[in-house]
Amino acid sequence: MIDYALPNERGHFGMFGGRYVPETLMQPVLELEIEYEKAKKDPEFQAEVKRLLEEYVGRDTPLFFAENLTKHSGGAKIYLKREDLNHTGAHKINNAIGQALLAVRMGKRKIVAETGAGQHGVATATVCALLKLDCIVFMGEEDVKRQALNVFRMELLGAKVVSVKSGSATLKDAVNEALRYWVANADDTHYLLGSVMGPHPFPMMVRDFQSVIGNETREQILEREGKLPEAVVACIGGGSNSMGMFYPFIGDTDVKLYGVEAAGRGIDTPYHAASLTKGRPGVVHGSLMYLLQNEDGQIQEAHSVSAGLDYPGVGPEHSYLKDAGRVIYDSITDEQALSAFQLLAQLEGIIPALESAHAVAFALEQAAKMKETETLIICLSGRGDKDVDTVRSIIKRGESQ
Amino acid sequence: MNRIQETFKQLKENGQKAFVPYIMAGDGGLGCLADRLLTLEKFGASLIEVGIPFSDPVADGPVIQQAGIRALANSVSLRDVIVELKRTKGNISVPILFMTYLNPILSYGVERFAEDIREAGIDGCIIPDLPVEEEDIIAPLLEKANVELIRLVTLATPPERIEMISQKGNGFLYTVTVKGITGTRKEYQSGIGEFLEEVKRLSAIPVLAGFGVSNEEQARELASFCDGVVVGSRIVELFIKNDLQGIEKLVSSLHKETMI
């Protein structure tokens, strides 16, 4: 066991994290920190979060023993934490509920959010519909084209989706626009950031709201196996599902934690999203973290078949845990993820999100190296309905070649 | 006394206000940077802000974003700008300030950055994504190199914080006069004059107003409440149109003869 109490009062995880924001945003982030600390200690607030997570989201999510997958890999017992069964189909809503309730508590009735693939945007629009909050979602023009169905979903839920044409017109530019919007509208608007990134207190707060994943998993596995798992595996884009899964296990040093980044077409090509594996520390979007950047410090585009992992940075806490050696970070290519996507569908009747398929691919390799008496848990962060079109067109292309 | 302080002392003695234009280094190619600086000095700029292009400029509006994209398309880096200014050092006599986001500095190396920009004759540095809470990452190095870190306050900054921030600097206090990002505005929100006067009262150092200044009238109005103005997007636009007359009119708008 180790004691772990990060971030410090300045929002730093070692050298990472912090609040690298324009002065205009200092008041909003300081106010947010104070309000969040109050809410955290308020039993009424916590009860309301819990109630919505149970009655609206459908928690607890099951911990499923994947017997067929286990036989296939021939090693450790593999369990799946079924975040794909949450309302809206992914873990994103855990955080959206928490932050939206916090916004209401702060008297802010307008929400701005960024989205890449659209999962966080849909989760945010959903909660805003429920709580009668105005919702504006910034989304890169490229992603708007690639994820037309999710754009329609958000609009159906009453959100206004703004297509971002600046920069590379993807997730990082959507974050820029959301930050610019917040700079101008912080008086009545809360920025509902979707991952464990951005200025303090966001990385800590999003981690806390997502920790429901790891807390449930810990209880469930102790009940089923009578012991903690030997390994826990989760995918990493910005890093929210993995941080929520890992956090309750950080003190248990016997539990190996594996974070899986997107290697895209390969980490030795320019087309990947492996910020921890190939990036170096830098500052963007309010935080010091590992970043894909060129030698002049210009932020580079990330690439992955999975839009949710397609981000050039990674949360500051992951950056810290990498340097501290507590979490092992590795990467999985598009091709490996696509195979795992199909394999899980065939073996277990579960179609995972392409993001989660990265974790599945890595876990299969890892489990094979482990003993049959050991257990490994995969955070199945989302379901794959959103990706079937993408996968179908890739398989078709493969067949025609 | 550094050159920025000397400039403000001189302005005060002459009963003048400061006009600080901004240009994006590398917009139009790095070759025109020295010329543009000379032009601005000739028209009467008190200090000049030189922007460094960055891929993700969250504090900037469309005009400066586009200027940055053009500069990056010309492959202009922080390193190139420092080398160019070092080469042309001595051509102009007004103080030069860098306006750069933090990451290009981190990538360049903070220690080397502080030393190299001093050698290139840069007098000060504005880092819009570096609040005072995080400035230890570079402030001591800039101080050692005798480069002034210019800090910002905004409409959202409470009085005690304005006072705290102003006490950290020796140059001037950059006061953001809009709730939002850079870019021209038709008008300011009411009470902007009172706000500037309040900042002026709290600040131990000269106070400049910036963000959103679009024309001579606005420049004169804002300057009447403080020690001068910074104008960015409008200058960038005028350079694109090569409207030198327009630039001259704007930059000289605070000269005594035009103030009457």
Side-chain angles (χ1 to χ4, degrees), chain A residues 65-378:
Chain A
F65 173 49
E67 201 175 348
N68 300 332
L69 203 63
T70 300
K71 279 187 189 143
H72 179 85
S73 91
K77 288 177 83 171
I78 301 175
Y79 282 86
L80 303 175
K81 177 60 173 169
R82 299 289 309 274
E83 290 302 299
D84 60 317
L85 293 177
N86 283 325
H87 179 41
T88 70
H91 69 290
K92 290 291 184 189
I93 195 140
N94 300 329
N95 167 52
I97 293 263
Q99 282 198 50
L101 286 175
L102 187 61
V104 171
R105 199 185 142 96
M106 291 190 295
K108 298 194 174 180
R109 306 293 304 181
K110 293 180 181 170
I111 299 292
V112 60
E114 82 295 338
T115 197
Q119 291 307 103
H120 173 58
V122 168
T124 303
T126 299
V127 180
C128 286
L130 178 72
L131 299 177
K132 297 190 176 65
L133 304 174
D134 285 349
C135 179
I136 176 164
V137 179
F138 288 95
M139 188 169 182
E141 193 180 31
E142 283 303 310
D143 292 327
V144 167
K145 280 186 218 151
R146 286 190 287 197
Q147 306 285 338
L149 209 54
N150 267 344
V151 174
F152 182 65
R153 276 195 188 105
M154 288 183 266
E155 287 170 349
L156 210 55
L157 292 158
K160 185 180 166 200
V161 180
V162 180
S163 171
V164 176
K165 296 173 181 65
S166 62
S168 54
T170 59
L171 177 57
K172 90 176 169 70
D173 307 284
V175 176
N176 289 341
E177 276 317 311
L179 280 168
R180 288 181 186 122
Y181 182 88
W182 200 34
V183 165
N185 296 281
D187 287 347
D188 61 356
T189 303
H190 173 66
Y191 181 12
L192 208 160
L193 222 161
S195 195
V196 286
M197 40 178 249
H200 181 63
F202 284 105
M204 171 182 79
M205 184 170 69
V206 177
R207 173 198 74 193
D208 292 351
F209 286 134
Q210 291 293 2
S211 289
V212 66
I213 304 173
N215 285 328
E216 281 177 14
T217 302
R218 211 167 184 286
E219 270 181 39
Q220 288 166 324
I221 197 71
L222 282 174
E223 198 176 296
R224 302 279 279 280
E225 293 288 333
K227 63 179 175 85
L228 290 173
E230 275 69 27
V232 177
V233 180
C235 67
I236 298 194
S240 70
N241 88 81
S242 48
M243 210 53 244
M245 179 56 122
F246 293 165
Y247 185 57
F249 291 103
I250 286 182
D252 307 304
T253 42
D254 289 341
V255 179
K256 288 207 170 74
L257 305 173
Y258 297 95
V260 186
E261 298 192 291
R265 290 185 227 166
I267 53 170
D268 295 322
T269 72
Y271 305 103
H272 62 79
S275 326
L276 287 164
T277 313
K278 299 288 280 189
R280 54 195 176 87
V283 166
V284 80
H285 298 154
S287 188
L288 207 161
M289 58 187 169
Y290 274 90
L291 268 180
L292 298 177
Q293 52 182 318
N294 73 11
E295 57 174 18
D296 298 322
Q298 307 296 342
I299 314 306
Q300 290 175 316
E301 275 180 64
H303 295 267
S304 167
V305 66
S306 141
L309 303 182
D310 212 343
Y311 180 69
V314 59
E317 192 162 13
H318 283 298
S319 301
Y320 170 81
L321 292 169
K322 173 195 157 80
D323 284 5
R326 177 62 189 97
V327 179
I328 300 153
Y329 294 93
D330 208 323
S331 60
I332 284 292
T333 63
D334 288 351
E335 210 177 297
Q336 292 170 300
L338 284 161
S339 301
F341 180 93
Q342 295 168 73
L343 190 71
L344 192 66
Q346 287 155 14
L347 290 180
E348 300 288 358
I350 297 170
I351 300 174
L354 273 174
E355 291 79 3
S356 321
H358 285 72
V360 174
F362 178 85
L364 281 170
E365 287 176 9
Q366 197 56 37
K369 295 180 212 159
M370 294 165 63
K371 294 187 207 120
E372 286 176 22
T373 51
E374 296 181 320
T375 55
L376 175 152
I377 300 172
I378 302 171

Side-chain angles (χ1 to χ4, degrees), chain A residues 41-52:
Chain A
K41 291 175 197 124
D42 180 355
E44 229 173 275
F45 176 81
Q46 293 300 342
E48 184 59 5
V49 172
K50 190 164 185 288
R51 185 184 74 81
L52 283 181

Side-chain angles (χ1 to χ4, degrees), chain A residues 12 19 23 176 180 283 298, chain B residues 55-57 103 107 134 161:
Chain A
H12 287 216
R19 283 177 288 227
E23 174 62 21
N176 289 341
R180 288 181 186 122
V283 166
Q298 307 296 342
Chain B
S55 53
D56 296 81
N103 202 52
S107 190
E134 305 289 352
R161 188 174 165 87

Side-chain angles (χ1 to χ4, degrees), chain B residues 136-154:
Chain B
D136 281 356
I137 200 167
I138 190 167
L141 295 165
L142 290 177
E143 197 178 332
K144 200 174 128 204
N146 197 24
V147 173
E148 195 59 42
L149 179 62
I150 304 297
R151 296 165 182 84
L152 298 99
V153 298
T154 77

